[in-house]
Every structure is written in structure tokens, then in C-alpha cells.
Amino acid sequence: MDLDKFKQINKAFDYLFDSLVITDLQGIITDWNKGSENLYGYSKKEIIGQPVDILHLPEDTEHITSEVISSVEKYGKWTGEVRMLHKDGHIGWIESMCVPLFDANHQLVGALGVNRDISDRVKETKRLEHLAHYDQLTEIPNRYLVFDRIDHLIDQSERDMRTFALLFIDLDKFKIINDTKGHAFGDQVLVEVSLRLKQSIRNSDTVARIGGDEFVILLENMIDKSNVDSVIKTIMDTISRPFKINDEKLTVSCSIGVSIYPDDGITTDSLIATADKAMYNNKHKK
């Protein structure tokens, strides 16, 4: 785009909602419109002469600059969705396009960035992704997410020749709690159980609720079976400690079944089935 032509229509661009930012070859902001003031919070007087990096998070600057230069060289423009940094410090998301600016002699003199706020869209997308992958009650991964993680863990373990353990956990006589105390009370028990399960494992491991009072735990890179037994004992002891729900004390126990990759299965379904069967066998022994 010709720089002189841009300046001629710049006043009209002030009435657009989109942010328009002009920079020179050194990445210094030389002009922008009211849409930019609304998006970033800086007045034109404050921003002119500042590096365009001020509009990005420091950790994003290098890769954004690299992507823009590479794309402009190949395709004559760059488009993407990146994080933005507002004057007040809050972080948002923008849909951005960058094109080179040339003078009347067709010499490159800078760049024009056209930016649109998509923060609400990104936030809604993340909310929907969270609903799809996390249990709404306990806020831990749900069946869909943990099964996906098992698939990936199988691929990774096969490639790296590692092993992992899958624990299938079911609360004992939980139906009685729901029937006698009510579902709201039972829900609080499930929330407390999920918190205790998370506290019983490493940060690298996964705990998920796959339905009702059933949970699955993935213990990554478990070389020694004794380590798995140690985790199971920790879980059993942690769950058996009295709960206090609505000022009422309650004790809960659980049954646990184990499957080890690859000894007990090499697919998600087989590992789940083996651990599920082992859990029920242990439950019936009580």
C-alpha cells in the first residue's frame, strides 16, 4: 500500500471500529486511528514514537516478529490471531493482518497493521472447550479428555518403551449416601473425593471423573509395581479419612482396580476393561 494514499484516507479510517497501526522500518509507531485508541488504551500522543512491541506480551514478541517477516516475504502479507497487551495491563486477543507500506518510488517504508478485538470470541471458545473436556461438578477431566490422554499416552509409551498404570476407582455404597442424604450432599462428597485424589498423585499424573462415582487415574512412567501399590495405599488412606459435609461427619471407602500398559492391554478399551474388572473383583471381596 502507498503511504501517501493511506494518509489521505486516514481520517475516514478514524470512523472504523478496527485498529489501524502504521510503523516504520524500525518497528516504531508513526500513526494510528481512534480504533487503536479504543483497543489498546493509548492516545495517539502517547503512542507515536513508541515501539510496536509495547502492544504485545514480551514473551510473544520474538515469534510474532519472525512469523510476520516470513509471511510478508512469501505472500506479501501476514494474518493471524495473537495476544495483545492493553495500556492498563490486561491481556486480550486480536485478529490481525499486516501488509507492507511503500512510498511513491515503490520503496518499502513501513507496515500497516489492521487489528480486531476477538477477546470475547476466544473466551467463549475456551469456555466451550472446558465444558467439553472437564466435569462440571468436580472441575477435573471428564471421560472424553481422559480417554484421549490414554490414547496419547499409549502412543508415547510405545515410542519411548515406557510403562504406565491405570487405576479404576469406584466409591463403595455411594448410592446409599445419595438415597439417604440427597444428591446435593452426594455431589459435595464427589467434589471432596476429587480434591483428595488430586492431592494423592503427582502433577504429571491425571485424575478424571468418568461418570457417577467412578474415577480414573493415570500414573505415567511407572517402572516398579511397588510404586503403584504405594499410590493405591495412599489413595485408600486418603479417601478413608472422615469427610465433613454440612457440619456432618461421614466416612467413605473405595474399591480400586489396576491395569498396567502393556502387560494388561495395549488399547484404551482393553486397559479400562481390565482395571474395571479388577475393581469389581476387589469390591466383591469386601
Side-chain angles (χ1 to χ4, degrees):
M1 179 180 290
D2 187 285
L3 181 59
D4 291 333
K5 288 183 179 179
F6 174 80
K7 288 184 176 179
Q8 290 174 16
I9 58 176
N10 188 33
K11 191 167 186 179
F13 281 1
D14 264 343
Y15 294 96
L16 295 178
F17 290 111
D18 287 344
S19 157
L20 304 172
V21 182
I22 299 180
T23 58
D24 62 19
L25 292 176
Q26 285 70 47
I28 302 300
I29 299 172
T30 59
D31 200 3
W32 76 358
N33 69 342
K34 290 180 180 177
S36 297
E37 294 182 359
N38 295 332
L39 179 61
Y40 293 104
Y42 295 96
S43 68
K44 181 178 288 191
K45 183 178 180 181
E46 289 176 308
I47 204 66
I48 299 301
Q50 295 291 332
V52 72
D53 294 351
I54 197 175
L55 308 178
H56 303 302
L57 275 72
E59 59 267 32
D60 293 349
T61 298
E62 185 175 345
H63 82 259
I64 290 176
T65 302
S66 176
E67 283 186 14
V68 171
I69 292 174
S70 176
S71 182
V72 169
E73 288 178 347
K74 288 182 181 179
Y75 310 110
K77 67 175 182 178
W78 170 84
T79 59
E81 295 180 359
V82 296
R83 296 189 296 177
M84 55 149 283
L85 185 61
H86 192 274
K87 178 184 176 181
D88 65 13
H90 84 257
I91 300 170
W93 281 86
I94 56 172
E95 183 178 56
S96 184
M97 179 180 71
C98 181
V99 295
L101 289 175
F102 301 92
D103 62 17
N105 297 317
H106 306 291
Q107 295 297 309
L108 180 65
V109 292
L112 166 66
V114 183
N115 310 308
R116 178 172 295 177
D117 189 357
I118 58 168
S119 300
D120 290 341
R121 190 182 84 193
V122 171
K123 187 182 298 183
E124 178 64 9
T125 299
K126 289 183 177 180
R127 186 186 73 83
L128 293 175
E129 287 178 351
H130 186 83
L131 288 176
H133 296 95
Y134 287 83
D135 179 57
Q136 294 184 51
L137 176 64
T138 61
E139 294 293 318
I140 61 176
N142 61 13
R143 172 186 290 266
Y144 177 87
L145 181 54
V146 76
F147 278 34
D148 184 63
R149 287 187 180 177
I150 297 172
D151 289 340
H152 285 292
L153 193 52
I154 288 173
D155 291 340
Q156 179 183 326
S157 298
E158 181 181 15
R159 183 177 61 251
D160 299 338
M161 298 183 68
R162 294 183 177 182
T163 184
F164 68 88
L166 185 151
L167 310 185
F168 198 108
I169 304 169
D170 184 85
L171 302 184
D172 298 328
K173 301 178 181 178
F174 183 72
K175 186 176 183 301
I176 296 176
I177 296 176
N178 269 340
D179 291 345
T180 59
K181 303 294 184 180
H183 287 279
F185 188 97
D187 285 349
Q188 291 185 62
V189 172
L190 292 173
V191 171
E192 290 299 320
V193 166
S194 68
L195 290 173
R196 293 191 184 186
L197 290 176
K198 285 196 292 186
Q199 293 168 357
S200 302
I201 60 176
R202 302 166 300 182
N203 290 334
S204 59
D205 299 325
T206 299
V207 58
R209 181 185 176 212
I210 62 172
D213 60 337
E214 295 178 334
F215 298 84
V216 163
I217 288 179
L218 298 180
L219 303 175
E220 297 189 26
N221 197 25
M222 278 290 171
I223 300 175
D224 194 334
K225 180 66 164 57
S226 63
N227 292 336
V228 179
D229 294 336
S230 177
V231 174
I232 291 175
K233 184 180 185 306
T234 298
I235 292 173
M236 301 282 278
D237 292 343
T238 301
I239 296 299
S240 65
R241 294 201 317 265
F243 290 84
K244 190 173 183 180
I245 309 293
N246 296 340
D247 294 326
E248 183 175 344
K249 284 191 175 181
L250 173 80
T251 55
V252 176
S253 62
C254 67
S255 299
I256 302 176
V258 185
S259 60
I260 305 293
Y261 173 88
D263 297 347
D264 298 320
I266 57 173
T267 67
T268 296
D269 288 344
S270 62
L271 289 169
I272 288 287
T274 300
D276 187 17
K277 183 178 180 180
M279 181 274 295
Y280 274 106
N281 288 338
N282 290 332
K283 186 182 289 285
H284 291 151
K285 291 177 183 178
K286 293 183 177 180

